[in-house]
């Protein structure tokens, strides 16, 4: 899949996919500047403009650049990004990240990264409400076309990927101009 096609497909999917749930416009009063990875995340900046400043997300930023997704994640969106930390990427088998960052693996890397993105702006409260309404777990369709299953472990949102791996949301509701980031402690992997 070419870079232009992947970006166009992601943008088209995000633009045409019905958001899973979107917070009402009046909910913006909860959108405040938060600290992630030692850096302020401003709700007036895009996902990429903020993420590049987080010391905890340098691997994710490098991967987004290598996959050619910077322009997409700087677009209007809105997107909900489940953002794995550097420590989350470090849990992958040795050499995995270096292999994925190679140009010949760009399509695979893009698929993994877009598996962490859901069309629409999904706040933690919206997600928890959907989990409860759906009987304890709910499926999220990612812009990659895969499914993430969200459930609760106590008060923590847990994501189960298509391979059975689990990630916990460690910091929720980092609002951006074009969406929201929820920081996770593991990389989610599609089939």
């Amino acid at each position: 899949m070419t870079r232009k096609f992947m970006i166009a497909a992601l943008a088209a999917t995000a633009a045409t996919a019905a958001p899973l749930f979107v917070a009402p416009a009046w909910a913006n009063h909860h959108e405040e500047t938060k600290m992630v990875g030692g850096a302020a995340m401003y709700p007036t900046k895009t996902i990429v403009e903020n993420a590049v400043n987080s010391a905890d997300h340098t691997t994710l930023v490098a991967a987004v650049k290598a996959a050619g997704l910077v322009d997409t994640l700087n677009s209007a969106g809105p997107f909900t990004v489940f953002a794995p930390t550097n420590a989350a990427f470090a849990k992958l088998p040795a050499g995995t990240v270096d292999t994925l960052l190679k140009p010949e693996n760009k399509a695979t890397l893009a698929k993994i990264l877009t598996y962490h993105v859901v069309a629409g702006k999904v706040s933690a409260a919206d997600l928890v409400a959907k989990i409860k309404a759906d009987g304890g777990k709910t499926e999220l369709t990612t812009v990659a076309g895969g499914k993430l299953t969200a459930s609760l472990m106590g008060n923590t949102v847990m994501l189960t990927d298509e391979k059975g791996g689990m990630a916990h949301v460690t910091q929720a509701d980092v609002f951006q101009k074009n969406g929201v980031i929820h920081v996770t402690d593991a990389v989610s992997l599609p089939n």
Side-chain angles (χ1 to χ4, degrees), residues 12 40 42 113 157-158:
Y42 300 101
L113 293 176
V157 171
M158 182 174 61

Side-chain angles (χ1 to χ4, degrees), residues 1-11 67-68 72 106:
M1 194 176 295
T2 67
R3 176 175 178 233
K4 284 183 181 180
F5 178 77
M6 178 61 82
I7 290 172
L10 177 60
T72 300
K106 189 174 186 177

Side-chain angles (χ1 to χ4, degrees), residues 5-150:
F5 178 77
M6 178 61 82
I7 290 172
L10 177 60
T13 301
T16 60
L20 184 60
F21 12 79
V22 178
W26 54 265
N28 290 340
H29 69 280
H30 294 291
E31 297 179 13
E32 58 192 42
T33 301
K34 291 193 174 183
M35 298 297 289
V36 176
M41 301 287 121
Y42 300 101
T44 57
K45 292 187 175 186
T46 67
I47 291 165
V48 174
E49 289 170 338
N50 276 320
V52 297
N53 296 315
S54 170
D56 289 345
H57 290 92
T58 56
T59 304
L60 178 61
V61 169
V64 166
K65 289 177 180 177
L69 297 174
V70 171
D71 290 343
T72 300
L73 291 176
N74 266 332
S75 70
F79 304 106
T80 298
V81 178
F82 295 100
T85 61
N86 294 340
F89 280 100
K91 291 179 185 178
L92 294 172
T96 301
V97 173
D98 290 336
T99 299
L100 286 171
L101 292 175
K102 292 180 179 178
E104 62 268 24
N105 296 320
K106 189 174 186 177
T108 301
L109 178 60
K111 181 179 178 182
I112 291 169
L113 293 176
T114 57
Y115 186 67
H116 290 81
V117 181
V118 173
K121 190 175 193 175
V122 183
S123 72
D126 291 336
L127 184 54
V128 169
K130 183 72 172 152
I131 291 167
K132 289 179 179 178
D134 288 351
K137 65 181 179 179
T138 195
E139 275 194 351
L140 305 172
T141 301
T142 70
V143 296
K147 301 286 185 189
L148 281 171
T149 302

